[in-house]
Amino acid sequence: MEQVPSTGRLVQITVTEGYDLKGFKGDTPVTFIRAEFNQVVLGDSAKITVSPEGSAKYNFTSSFEFNPEGGITLDDLAHKPVFLTVTEVLPKEKKQKEEKTLILGQAVVDLLPLLEGQSSFQTTVPLHPVQGSPLETPRSSAKQCSLEVKVLVAEPLLTTAQISGGNLLKVTLEAAYSVPESFIPTGPGQNYMVGLQVPSLGEKDYPILFKNGTLNGNHSEAKACYERTISFVVDASEMHFIFLRLGLIYLEEKEYEKAKKTYMQACKRSPSCLTWLGLGIACYRLEELTEAEDALSEANALNNYNAEVWAYLALVCLKVGRQLEAEQAYKYMIKLKLKDEALLAEIHTLQETVGFGNPSF
């Protein structure tokens, strides 16, 4: 990329207002903001009292000098954000000499627009509560607390020619699907971050971090993403997982024909207990009992410790009237402690209908 002029440029960051704030000691705390960039504290705002409505007018400006020849460089602006930390000043108690403070939350401001030719921009950034902060519980307005921020330089840091001839890499992470169950919070909502290493010509790779991710459980988006992936990826080492997740979504949405087709593809490419189990379930729901038993038997041969496989074998045997085998499958299912209560209830209902299959009868 063509070098920018050697003279320094002042980059100003102004926090104009905060919204939906509250504190440890009530809804109208005294707060201040600390701005940091490149591991340097740029300054602290004046102490402002939050209004009963939860807003605070800070009008706090901090700045740093951009000078690629002797300080902050283009790379710094590209991958280092400005950190804004909101802190509550606690009321002084009797005989207390030093002021006590508690951090409420932190926000980040991405400076990448400055490398895209903009000389100023305004943004509303979410204020992420620290653990135990009262901001974890929203005010009655149910809005997320946030800060209004303006960024300004006297003139663009890069010319049009520099931008068009540059080599700025932009990576967009739209979504992550089928995240582990451990990601699902049991308490206040969480934000997630994804990181990856980008190879460079230098001595080390640069890390890229994607922040502020939230869980939304949108099956339709996940399904569309998996379907697109399968449509254009001919052969990939990780496709086994994609087939499993897409097939499971089809089963949950009762699209059994699509589930059967998906699991059949998976069984041809990389057969496993789970691919055969998925195929067996789809066939069972389609009343294709012979095909279902064949698939479930393949699954059982690969892993005879899967309680769900035994559960569906019990269902098939109940449907076709094979009492002894139905009871044997049921015993193994109980021994392996089937966790799916809905599936267990379905088996009990069918047992009562046909009059056999449960040794306790």
Side-chain angles (χ1 to χ4, degrees):
M1 179 181 286
E2 181 184 345
Q3 293 296 310
V4 298
S6 60
T7 56
R9 316 275 186 88
L10 199 65
V11 179
Q12 294 183 327
I13 302 98
T14 300
V15 182
T16 57
E17 195 165 356
Y19 304 103
D20 296 291
L21 305 174
K22 61 180 178 178
F24 288 91
K25 296 296 183 179
D27 289 344
T28 58
V30 176
T31 61
F32 70 90
I33 293 179
R34 171 165 293 178
E36 300 172 71
F37 181 72
N38 199 27
Q39 299 182 336
V40 175
V41 175
L42 304 180
D44 293 344
S45 73
K47 296 170 185 176
I48 304 297
T49 300
V50 175
S51 72
E53 292 75 29
S55 64
K57 296 186 180 298
Y58 293 103
N59 293 318
F60 162 57
T61 299
S62 59
S63 62
F64 62 86
E65 186 179 61
F66 164 71
N67 191 336
E69 293 188 356
I72 293 172
T73 66
L74 291 172
D75 285 339
D76 293 324
L77 295 180
H79 70 266
K80 294 180 181 178
V82 174
F83 290 95
L84 301 172
T85 304
V86 178
T87 302
E88 177 182 359
V89 181
L90 300 179
K92 280 191 176 182
E93 300 177 355
K94 291 182 179 180
K95 298 182 180 180
Q96 178 182 322
K97 294 182 179 179
E98 295 185 358
E99 192 172 65
K100 291 185 178 181
T101 60
L102 289 172
I103 294 176
L104 294 173
Q106 192 172 62
V108 293
V109 181
D110 187 358
L111 299 177
L112 193 58
L114 297 181
L115 302 185
E116 298 173 332
Q118 298 186 40
S119 59
S120 66
F121 64 91
Q122 182 171 333
T123 181
T124 301
V125 293
L127 182 63
H128 303 292
V130 298
Q131 187 172 9
S133 168
L135 298 181
E136 288 183 327
T137 305
R139 296 173 67 100
S140 57
S141 59
K143 296 179 181 178
Q144 182 179 14
C145 46
S146 58
L147 299 176
E148 192 77 22
V149 182
K150 296 179 180 179
V151 178
L152 173 69
V153 291
E155 58 185 49
L157 300 182
L158 298 174
T159 65
T160 303
Q162 289 168 340
I163 295 172
S164 61
N167 58 354
L168 180 64
L169 172 66
K170 296 175 67 176
V171 181
T172 299
L173 178 65
E174 291 186 354
Y177 298 106
S178 305
V179 297
E181 290 184 3
S182 58
F183 276 35
I184 301 175
T186 56
Q190 302 288 328
N191 286 89
Y192 298 86
M193 179 169 63
V194 175
L196 59 89
Q197 296 292 118
V198 177
S200 68
L201 297 178
E203 297 179 354
K204 62 179 182 179
D205 294 346
Y206 284 102
I208 293 182
L209 301 178
F210 301 89
K211 303 180 179 181
N212 304 336
T214 57
L215 298 174
N216 63 16
N218 192 322
H219 269 195
S220 62
E221 289 185 7
K223 182 170 67 174
C225 176
Y226 293 143
E227 289 171 339
R228 286 197 304 271
T229 302
I230 289 174
S231 68
F232 65 74
V233 177
V234 177
D235 188 19
S237 60
E238 299 301 324
M239 288 301 291
H240 180 79
F241 176 79
I242 301 296
F243 281 120
L244 288 178
R245 296 304 302 172
L246 180 58
L248 181 59
I249 290 175
Y250 283 144
L251 288 179
E252 290 176 350
E253 297 187 350
K254 299 182 179 180
E255 297 184 70
Y256 300 126
E257 287 287 357
K258 291 183 178 180
K260 178 182 176 181
K261 181 179 178 182
T262 300
Y263 281 119
M264 286 184 67
Q265 287 182 274
C267 289
K268 291 178 181 178
R269 293 178 180 229
S270 53
S272 69
C273 173
L274 294 180
T275 60
W276 286 113
L277 171 60
L279 178 58
I281 294 172
C283 290
Y284 176 79
R285 299 303 179 191
L286 291 168
E287 297 291 333
E288 299 172 356
L289 299 183
T290 301
E291 292 87 345
E293 185 173 8
D294 290 342
L296 293 168
S297 297
E298 292 286 349
N300 191 260
L302 292 172
N303 179 9
N304 62 358
Y305 288 94
N306 188 308
E308 193 173 1
V309 173
W310 286 111
Y312 277 97
L313 281 171
L315 284 171
V316 170
C317 292
L318 289 169
K319 285 270 189 176
V320 297
R322 299 207 301 264
Q323 179 176 349
L324 180 60
E325 293 174 63
E327 291 181 355
Q328 289 177 335
Y330 180 76
K331 287 179 181 179
Y332 280 116
M333 179 203 74
I334 295 299
K335 183 178 180 180
L336 294 170
K337 299 178 181 179
L338 179 70
K339 296 180 180 180
D340 190 334
E341 294 183 0
L343 181 56
L344 183 59
E346 181 181 356
I347 293 173
H348 286 161
T349 300
L350 186 55
Q351 287 172 337
E352 292 176 2
T353 301
V354 299
F356 63 85
N358 190 335
S360 64
F361 283 172

